[in-house]
Amino acid sequence: RFQACVYFASVFQAMSCGIHYLASVFMAVTPNFVCGIPGNVSSVRFYNSCESSIEDIWTQWTSPENYIVVQLENGDVWELNQCDRSKREAGLDLAYEYKGNKSVFSCSDGFLYDDTKWKSTVVTQWDLVCDREWLAKLIQPTFMLGVLVGAVIFGDIADRLGRQRVIWFTSAGQFVFGIAVAFTFDYYSFVIVRFLLAMVSSGYLVVAFVYVTEFVGIKARTWASMHVHAFFAMGIMVVALVGFLVRTWWVYQIFLSIATLPFVLCCWMLPETPFWLLSEKRYEDAQKVINIMARWNKISTPCKVSELVSVQDDLGGGRMDDNDTSSAKKHNILDLFCNWHIARRTITVWLIWFTGSLGYYVFSLSSVSLGGNEYLNLFLIGAVELPCYIIACIGMDKLGRRNTLIPFLILSALICVSIMFIPQDFNILIILANMAGKFSIGVAFGLIYLYTAELYPTIVRSLAVGSGSMMCRVGSVVAPFCVYLRSVWIFMPLLLVGIMALLSGILTIMLPETLGKPLTNTLVEATEMGRSKKSCSGKTPPAHSSTTLEKIEMFGQEAVSTEK
């Protein structure tokens, strides 16, 4: 009961991460537009259609190459393009095709936008078009840069100061910065506040994975960790729903930000994890949390931390000699390369994170050819992830983490190759193949969060997940540039994703399996994971801390665990 309450409270806020990650899809959209005009319009012509106002023309607009001919009340005739306007020398000639002399002017009177779909976006508010279009294209990359920075910073802070404090700060930060975005006064303040919002959103998501992993025992760890992604996907569906209902960007942003307000009001009640408290030798605080868990779960004989760590205390002198088990040491990213086995593991894990993100976004960008209602398309993009995670959970529990990850990575590579041989006029088959590719890479992408948390010990677990998330964000930044390579060769993006997926699948073979194994607490235990029980010197590696944490991990899942 205790773990369930903590879990659902934590993952509910993960929806806000999905919301803010995808909010710019509708908030920064560029509608149809043309140059503004220096006067009142009396007549408008678009090809063979003649209307009284420009608003009546937008339903017929088909291409950015189109232009509109307008006649002002003073008799002047203008041709309105998207980034310039031309005044015809021969007045009163309202024909669409004109071969006479024209004077070209810049859009000094602003722009006219099609507001039939979106009443207001950040593009229309600050005229982020034409020579300022590059500013609009920087909105999502700068957000992803904030996600990258936040993943590393807050992952490290969570290992130093605890998961609880980071959960508090980042969840409150998402609400505060989310509302602040709606009230920014110019483009630059908008980008800066969104950057801060990205940092806290990324920080929460990274630490939330570690938080729920350390609270949930072995039996439920797979489903619990994977379905954090499901709540993220639900956030994407919320974006589609709110975008459909609200067409003014700042109102849209406010509604998205208050969606998870209930969690912000109660997140202060979440406790610190016993794992982190034990790693910091805060045994009394760990005992208090365990006692609370016992009361919630109606267990009359809670385990005693003093008994669990007694073996460590007896052997304290010997264990303090280990250079990587001192709780006083402040760990950093170099600890992920402390020896060859951990370094090789880190490189492989980072590659999987990068490949998963790269493939996810390349397949997503390829799916825009589906057409139809854009709100429904986004909703389905979020919904298609839900069965993906269910399949991943079943595979991880039945086959293991590694044995599920390898085939889906290789399957992604095979799908990339198969798409290259599908004739271009088979649109439906191409779309289905792209969705299959996204599904398979989604399984690998979702699995790697939990797998990373299980591959590393408590003292660097948040740092490992955070650095992996950093590589994930690098992949998401690279993905659009990868798609641009279609101009070189139409299948170049798929070829790159296929090569990365195949390489990742092969390297994953060398990773250890973590299914059914207790979480490790030291780098020594993490190094020995997957190797033979005896080290090269023939001595059995220390496992006291692992035994201690295994008991804590199993505690509260079922009463029989406390009787051993």
Side-chain angles (χ1 to χ4, degrees):
R1 182 184 305 170
F2 180 87
Q3 284 87 340
C5 291
V6 169
Y7 174 77
F8 284 108
S10 302
V11 298
F12 178 76
Q13 180 69 0
M15 282 199 304
S16 67
C17 300
I19 287 171
H20 295 306
Y21 276 43
L22 271 294
S24 64
V25 171
F26 298 129
M27 184 166 54
V29 68
T30 302
N32 296 324
F33 67 94
V34 292
C35 260
I37 44 179
N40 297 322
V41 176
S42 62
S43 183
V44 180
R45 177 172 290 276
F46 184 72
Y47 288 103
N48 296 324
S49 175
C50 191
E51 305 289 348
S52 59
S53 67
I54 294 179
E55 287 73 14
D56 299 326
I57 297 295
W58 293 125
T59 56
Q60 306 172 46
W61 189 274
T62 57
S63 169
E65 303 301 323
N66 295 149
Y67 63 90
I68 298 174
V69 179
V70 299
Q71 186 174 36
L72 304 185
E73 292 179 347
N74 62 6
D76 291 343
V77 178
W78 292 78
E79 291 182 10
L80 305 180
N81 295 290
Q82 286 200 325
C83 295
D84 60 56
R85 56 187 179 175
S86 304
K87 182 180 179 180
R88 295 180 178 179
E89 299 297 335
L92 303 178
D93 187 353
L94 199 59
Y96 193 74
E97 300 292 341
Y98 176 76
K99 303 298 183 182
N101 296 327
K102 295 182 289 187
S103 300
V104 180
F105 298 89
S106 63
C107 300
S108 57
D109 293 293
F111 299 87
L112 300 175
Y113 296 96
D114 177 9
D115 61 358
T116 54
K117 284 188 177 181
W118 299 280
K119 297 301 181 183
S120 172
T121 71
V122 295
V123 172
T124 63
Q125 178 151 342
W126 295 309
D127 289 335
L128 305 180
V129 294
C130 297
D131 58 339
R132 288 168 57 86
E133 182 182 7
W134 65 276
L135 294 174
K137 291 183 176 180
L138 282 179
I139 290 176
Q140 191 62 17
T142 53
F143 183 90
M144 298 310 296
L145 180 62
V147 169
L148 187 154
V149 174
V152 177
I153 291 178
F154 287 106
D156 186 39
I157 292 176
D159 282 330
R160 295 171 183 266
L161 302 181
R163 288 71 162 114
Q164 181 191 50
R165 295 178 182 177
V166 176
I167 290 285
W168 291 352
F169 178 80
T170 54
S171 48
Q174 285 187 79
F175 176 74
V176 172
F177 292 132
I179 296 294
V181 166
F183 294 96
T184 49
F185 52 87
D186 62 8
Y187 169 81
Y188 299 102
S189 62
F190 171 81
V191 170
I192 292 172
V193 177
R194 285 252 310 165
F195 182 88
L196 298 175
L197 175 61
M199 287 182 60
V200 294
S201 297
S202 174
Y204 181 87
L205 193 61
V206 167
V207 178
F209 271 101
V210 176
Y211 187 77
V212 299
T213 299
E214 293 184 347
F215 257 116
V216 178
I218 294 176
K219 289 178 60 178
R221 188 192 302 160
T222 301
W223 286 83
S225 178
M226 285 295 291
H227 279 79
V228 176
H229 293 283
F231 281 84
F232 184 93
M234 290 172 61
I236 297 176
M237 292 186 277
V238 169
V239 170
L241 179 61
V242 175
F244 176 75
L245 298 174
V246 182
R247 306 298 177 90
T248 302
W249 79 266
W250 61 271
V251 180
Y252 161 85
Q253 175 66 27
I254 291 175
F255 272 92
L256 291 179
S257 299
I258 65 176
T260 55
L261 179 59
F263 177 82
V264 178
L265 298 177
C266 66
C267 66
W268 59 271
M269 294 187 292
L270 294 177
E272 185 57 80
T273 69
F275 269 88
W276 185 83
L277 293 172
L278 286 174
S279 69
E280 295 292 308
K281 297 189 181 298
R282 292 170 54 180
Y283 299 135
E284 292 184 3
D285 293 332
Q287 186 65 62
K288 291 179 182 178
V289 175
I290 291 172
N291 292 340
I292 294 175
M293 294 168 66
R295 287 197 299 270
W296 275 67
N297 294 339
K298 296 182 178 181
I299 295 176
S300 57
T301 56
C303 62
K304 302 296 183 182
V305 171
S306 58
E307 297 175 1
L308 295 175
V309 300
S310 60
V311 176
Q312 286 181 299
D313 293 339
D314 293 339
L315 300 177
R319 291 185 60 78
M320 288 298 289
D321 291 337
D322 294 336
N323 57 10
D324 58 344
T325 58
S326 174
S327 62
K329 178 181 178 181
K330 297 302 182 181
H331 298 276
N332 55 53
I333 200 168
L334 295 179
D335 289 303
L336 301 181
F337 299 87
C338 63
N339 59 56
W340 164 243
H341 296 284
I342 297 296
R344 184 178 62 186
R345 184 178 304 175
T346 299
I347 293 173
T348 302
V349 167
W350 282 4
L351 181 62
I352 298 171
W353 279 88
F354 177 85
T355 302
S357 180
L358 179 69
Y360 182 90
Y361 285 102
V362 167
F363 280 117
S364 296
L365 291 172
S366 300
S367 67
V368 296
S369 59
L370 291 172
N373 186 292
E374 57 268 27
Y375 304 104
L376 179 60
N377 288 346
L378 182 62
F379 185 89
L380 294 177
I381 285 175
V384 76
E385 297 183 39
L386 303 182
C388 160
Y389 303 137
I390 294 176
I391 296 298
C393 287
I394 295 175
M396 287 194 295
D397 276 343
K398 300 299 182 181
L399 303 177
R401 283 71 159 126
R402 181 184 61 184
N403 295 336
T404 301
L405 185 59
I406 294 172
F408 275 102
L409 283 172
I410 296 178
L411 178 62
S412 301
L414 294 177
I415 291 175
C416 289
V417 174
S418 66
I419 293 176
M420 299 180 188
F421 294 96
I422 300 177
Q424 290 300 295
D425 54 344
F426 284 36
N427 293 330
I428 295 179
L429 187 57
I430 291 176
I431 292 173
L432 291 175
N434 275 271
M435 296 308 294
K438 181 184 177 184
F439 182 92
S440 59
I441 205 71
V443 172
F445 195 26
L447 186 155
I448 192 57
Y449 280 84
L450 173 62
Y451 197 24
T452 302
E454 293 180 335
L455 285 171
Y456 292 89
T458 304
I459 55 176
V460 293
R461 186 170 295 123
S462 284
L463 185 60
V465 177
S467 62
S469 182
M470 177 189 69
M471 296 305 300
C472 162
R473 293 311 131 208
V474 173
S476 65
V477 172
V478 171
F481 298 100
C482 183
V483 174
Y484 296 155
L485 293 176
R486 288 173 61 92
S487 59
V488 178
W489 185 40
I490 190 172
F491 296 122
M492 183 64 75
L494 292 173
L495 178 62
L496 294 177
V497 172
I499 292 174
M500 296 297 293
L502 181 61
L503 179 60
S504 300
I506 294 174
L507 292 178
T508 303
I509 297 174
M510 296 184 291
L511 294 179
E513 180 56 68
T514 60
L515 176 62
K517 296 181 180 180
L519 296 177
T520 57
N521 194 40
T522 68
L523 288 167
V524 170
E525 295 164 9
T527 302
E528 295 299 330
M529 182 190 301
R531 300 171 63 185
S532 59
K533 292 186 177 180
K534 292 188 176 182
S535 62
C536 298
S537 61
K539 297 180 180 179
T540 302
H544 304 106
S545 179
S546 178
T547 302
T548 299
L549 295 175
E550 180 180 8
K551 292 181 180 180
I552 292 294
E553 184 180 58
M554 295 174 64
F555 174 76
Q557 300 300 310
E558 49 188 15
V560 70
S561 299
T562 64
E563 298 173 359
K564 294 183 179 180

